[in-house]
């Protein structure tokens, strides 16, 4: 958003490309439509300046706005697809700077902007240097599936929405209703207030979010205090119980093994004793034991091994086996000696310990390692819960400090909004005078509330005094549909001087307006088109007369299917269309004369602006 001096008179002529040399921010050169609504196929040549779109009722004028909406990322519906066609397809060609936020977003999406050469210099006086062509495409299938292409690369539809916010502002009759909303009125005032105000508002919004988060945390602690006290008591009991038992990791497994040994002590003793007797014993019913047999075999081989070297490794193996069996005998004796101790008392101790650990596992497990982990985390959690009072006190202090900052910033926002409101009131009221609403005053009222909100403490109200001395009334009560159209246009004209928009699209915002008021709307739209591209769908000849580019949506019915196409009108074709808008008869002599008179009036107005 570009900040300008809002105390100065609006000068539209200074915004002309020829005089100011300002870079083109984005111009739609052409839109191609295929199988959208009643339009079978149409090409809309647009370009800079003021384009009027007219046509008979039901011919599909609104399809032009819908096509642009699809290119700007609006929601697609299957009902938009022309009957009998598999899909709708819309393509838009934009002329935009090759450097800037739009180009950056296209590049981020993987798309490409084709740079225009010097030989593509337009007759409109807008040079091609530093400009490129951006092609956006959107298709919608009969089932409602949608596909977007940005600069030759498939992209999410959301990318179109992001680009649309920077390239186009669309106004329809529904926007008149939104203009009655306090929120929309605040957004308009904030948009007018400029970049410094926006920076202040963003700072306020950040501080407000921080303040709300601190409040939420504090209030949560306070509301959960009883629950947290009960949790702390339960943790203290658990910590004391676990600490008393003092479990160790893996202890349950070791105790299970020990219990199994003690429970089967007699069987273990009998088996070990039998094995030891078989290995090394003098009591085997006269039969030699294993140690004796191995020693006998070893002595016999040692006597003759010197006569045959092949026996040497066998002798060595027998010697190793004899030593190993003797070692096994010793180990079995030691094992039996250990088993000789009284295992009954020890088994009672082991089973008691296992029972204690099992109780802990049931309460805080399911495994013993889980119990130990719970004990490890319980300490810090208990410390946190025990410090609730201190935490609440600290948060309360932080909340109070953050609230002080929020209130201070909110007060600054109010000051800036009041300043901007005075300027916006003056400028819009001046525009209303030029729109055949002389004596009407738009008053922007800023009322400071008590409680801060995400946008400040202010309530914004647009009030209209319909004539000098009249009591100002809210727009929703004090303005007709036609007046709302003109007020909305006046606001947009003023905002365009402080926050330029590349392209404006107005969809029959002149509804409910006629006569001299319609002429003034056309004149103001033409002036707005000096600095921005303006596309207007209208049914009024008084508005269309001021267009520099006139497109007509033509309906051709064969009795079953209605097909529409778009024609660019010039010369007598345009005069005939203007006569049809005026009288319903394209060949009425009085209508044709009136049409020529309006076209000459518009041309004379343009000559005066340039003089």
């Amino acid at each position: 958003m570009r900040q300008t001096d809002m105390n100065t008179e609006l000068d539209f002529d200074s915004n002309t490309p020829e005089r100011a040399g300002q870079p083109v921010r984005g111009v739609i050169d052409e839109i191609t439509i295929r199988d959208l609504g009643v339009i079978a196929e149409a090409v809309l040549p647009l370009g800079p300046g003021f384009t009027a779109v007219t046509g008979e009722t039901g011919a599909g004028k609104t399809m032009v706005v819908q096509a642009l909406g699809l290119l700007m990322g609006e929601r697609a519906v299957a009902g938009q697809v022309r009957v009998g066609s598999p899909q709708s397809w819309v393509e838009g060609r934009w002329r935009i700077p090759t450097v800037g936020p739009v180009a950056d977003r296209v590049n981020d999406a993987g798309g490409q902007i084709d740079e225009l050469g010097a030989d593509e210099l337009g007759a409109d006086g807008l040079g091609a240097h530093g400009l490129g062509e951006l092609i956006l495409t959107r298709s919608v299938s009969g089932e409602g599936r949608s596909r977007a292409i940005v600069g030759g690369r498939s992209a999410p539809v959301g990318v179109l929405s992001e680009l649309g916010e920077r390239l186009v502002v669309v106004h329809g009759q529904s926007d008149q209703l939104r203009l009655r909303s306090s929120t929309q009125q605040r957004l308009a005032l904030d948009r007018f207030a400029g970049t410094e105000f926006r920076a202040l508002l963003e700072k306020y919004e950040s501080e407000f979010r921080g303040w709300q988060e601190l409040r939420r945390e504090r209030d949560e602690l306070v509301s959960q205090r009883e629950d947290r006290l009960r949790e702390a008591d339960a943790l203290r009991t658990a910590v004391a119980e676990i600490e008393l038992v003092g479990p160790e990791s893996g202890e349950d497994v070791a105790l299970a093994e020990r219990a199994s040994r003690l429970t089967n002590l007699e069987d273990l003793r009998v088996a070990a004793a039998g094995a030891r007797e078989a290995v090394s014993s003098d009591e085997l019913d006269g039969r030699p034991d294993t140690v004796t047999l191995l020693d006998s075999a070893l002595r016999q081989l040692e006597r003759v091994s010197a006569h045959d070297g092949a026996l040497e490794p066998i002798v060595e193996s027998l010697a190793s086996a004899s030593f190993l069996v003797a070692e096994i005998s010793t180990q079995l004796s030691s094992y039996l000696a250990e088993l000789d101790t009284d295992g009954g008392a020890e088994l009672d101790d082991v089973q008691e310990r296992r029972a204690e650990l099992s109780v802990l596992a049931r309460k805080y497990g399911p495994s013993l390692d889980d119990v130990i982990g719970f004990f490890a985390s319980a300490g810090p959690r208990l410390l946190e819960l025990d410090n609730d009072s201190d935490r609440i006190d600290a948060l309360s202090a932080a909340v109070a400090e953050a609230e002080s900052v929020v209130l201070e910033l909110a007060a600054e926002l109010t000051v800036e909004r009041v300043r901007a409101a005075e300027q916006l009131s003056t400028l819009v009221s001046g525009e209303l005078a030029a729109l055949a609403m002389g004596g009407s005053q738009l008053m922007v009222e800023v009322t400071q509330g008590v409680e801060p909100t995400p946008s400040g403490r202010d309530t914004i109200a647009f009030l209209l005094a319909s004539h000098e001395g009249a009591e100002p009334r809210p727009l929703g009560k004090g303005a007709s549909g036609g007046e709302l159209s003109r007020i909305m246009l006046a606001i947009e004209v003023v905002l365009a001087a402080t926050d330029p928009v590349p392209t404006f699209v107005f969809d029959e915002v002149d509804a409910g307006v006629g006569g001299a008021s319609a002429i003034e709307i056309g004149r103001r739209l033409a002036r707005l088109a000096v600095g921005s591209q303006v596309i207007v769908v209208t049914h009024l000849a008084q508005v269309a007369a001021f267009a520099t580019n006139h497109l007509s949506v033509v309906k051709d019915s064969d009795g079953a299917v209605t097909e529409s196409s778009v024609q660019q009108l010039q010369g007598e074709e345009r005069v005939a269309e203007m006569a049809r808008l005026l009288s319903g008869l394209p060949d009425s002599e009085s209508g044709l004369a009136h049409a020529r008179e309006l076209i000459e009036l518009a041309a004379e107005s343009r000559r005066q602006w340039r003089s």
Side-chain angles (χ1 to χ4, degrees), residues 72 160-169:
M72 295 298 96
L160 294 180
S161 299
E162 295 177 37
L163 295 174
E165 290 177 358
R166 297 182 178 274
L167 292 172
V168 180
V169 169

Side-chain angles (χ1 to χ4, degrees), residues 134 142 259 318 505 582 603:
L134 170 64
L318 274 173
V505 178
L582 288 166

Side-chain angles (χ1 to χ4, degrees), residues 477-509:
K477 299 179 179 178
S480 65
E483 287 173 329
L484 281 174
S485 296
R486 284 177 279 177
I487 292 170
M488 186 170 64
L489 177 57
I491 291 173
E492 206 58 76
V493 167
V494 171
L495 293 180
T498 60
D499 181 22
V501 173
T503 299
F504 290 96
V505 178
F506 295 94
D507 184 12
E508 295 194 0
V509 293

